[in-house]
């Protein structure tokens, strides 16, 4: 078992237990059955970013605290140099590089994401996920097929999307190579300070 996966799953379990939250409550918050949630909390299954984000929301912590065990501490501004950030590897080879992991009270989660090209996915339905809020994706390189409920769009470098991420969405790299894009996951309106 991946050591990092075991550590992250352990932090989720510890926080849940410390807050006296049941597995049933966490399963409901993450949109899973109790058995599915239990498999993820025990580290038996990979943890998607959507799952981690929903856990963080329910547990009342920053997703970075779940990933690293540390609370973000910077305020005012955060500078992350090229090729730096907090690497997160989740969901069938997708690589996320969090570009502001140490900034506290974020209203969004900024990532550079690399989606792998997987031949077997090209003619299959795209797996859809949901998380509260909105998401902005900007393609830097490669090609991306984006599915939003019953709609499918093909994107190339310079194309961008803004969408309600609380509805089913997913993406895969196309064109025979990985696709790299900027993803900014924005929290729901009721979490923002206006």
């Amino acid at each position: 078992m991946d050591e990092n996966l075991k550590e992250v799953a352990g932090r989720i379990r510890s926080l849940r237990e410390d807050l006296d939250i049941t597995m049933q409550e966490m399963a409901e918050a993450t949109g899973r059955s109790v058995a599915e949630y239990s498999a993820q909390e025990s580290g038996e299954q990979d943890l998607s970013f959507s799952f981690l984000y929903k856990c963080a929301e329910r547990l009342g912590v920053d997703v970075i605290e779940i990933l690293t065990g540390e609370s973000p501490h910077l305020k005012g501004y955060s500078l992350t140099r090229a090729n730096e950030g907090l690497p997160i590897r989740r969901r069938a080879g997708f690589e996320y590089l969090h570009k502001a992991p140490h900034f506290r009270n974020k209203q969004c989660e900024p990532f550079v994401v690399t989606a792998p090209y997987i031949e077997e996915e090209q003619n299959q339905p795209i797996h859809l996920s949901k998380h509260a809020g909105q998401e902005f994706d900007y393609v830097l390189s490669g090609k991306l097929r984006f599915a939003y409920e019953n709609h499918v769009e093909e994107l190339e470098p310079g194309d961008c999307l803004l969408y309600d991420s609380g509805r089913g969405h997913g993406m895969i790299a196309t064109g025979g190579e990985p696709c790299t894009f900027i993803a900014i996951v924005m929290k729901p309106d009721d979490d923002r300070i206006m």
Side-chain angles (χ1 to χ4, degrees), residues 33-157:
S33 70
V34 174
E36 291 169 329
Y37 175 80
S38 177
Q40 291 188 297
E41 184 185 83
S42 66
E44 294 171 21
Q45 291 182 359
D46 197 14
L47 310 174
S48 69
F49 180 74
S50 180
F51 174 79
L52 294 170
Y53 189 76
K54 289 175 183 179
C55 285
E57 283 183 318
R58 179 61 184 94
L59 296 168
V61 298
D62 191 292
V63 72
I64 299 305
E65 191 169 336
I66 289 176
L67 292 168
T68 66
E70 299 176 17
S71 295
H73 55 277
L74 296 177
K75 58 183 181 178
Y77 77 95
S78 172
L79 171 65
T80 305
R81 299 287 182 187
N83 300 318
E84 292 181 355
L86 176 66
I88 304 167
R89 286 177 179 75
R90 296 283 173 256
R91 199 186 132 214
F94 272 61
E95 295 182 10
Y96 296 79
L97 186 61
H98 198 297
K99 297 302 286 184
H102 304 295
F103 191 80
R104 70 180 191 194
N105 299 323
K106 290 182 285 297
Q107 294 181 1
C108 68
E109 303 289 343
F111 299 94
V112 173
V113 181
T114 302
Y117 176 81
I118 301 173
E119 183 65 38
E120 299 80 42
E121 293 181 336
Q122 300 308 303
N123 295 312
Q124 300 294 321
I126 295 174
H127 171 76
L128 303 180
S129 62
K130 300 176 184 176
H131 52 87
Q134 296 178 338
E135 186 167 333
F136 173 81
D137 298 334
Y138 181 90
V139 178
L140 297 171
S141 64
K143 295 180 180 180
L144 190 70
R145 180 171 299 136
F146 172 76
Y148 188 81
E149 295 182 333
N150 296 323
H151 304 277
V152 176
E153 301 289 346
E154 303 289 337
L155 288 84
E156 298 184 354

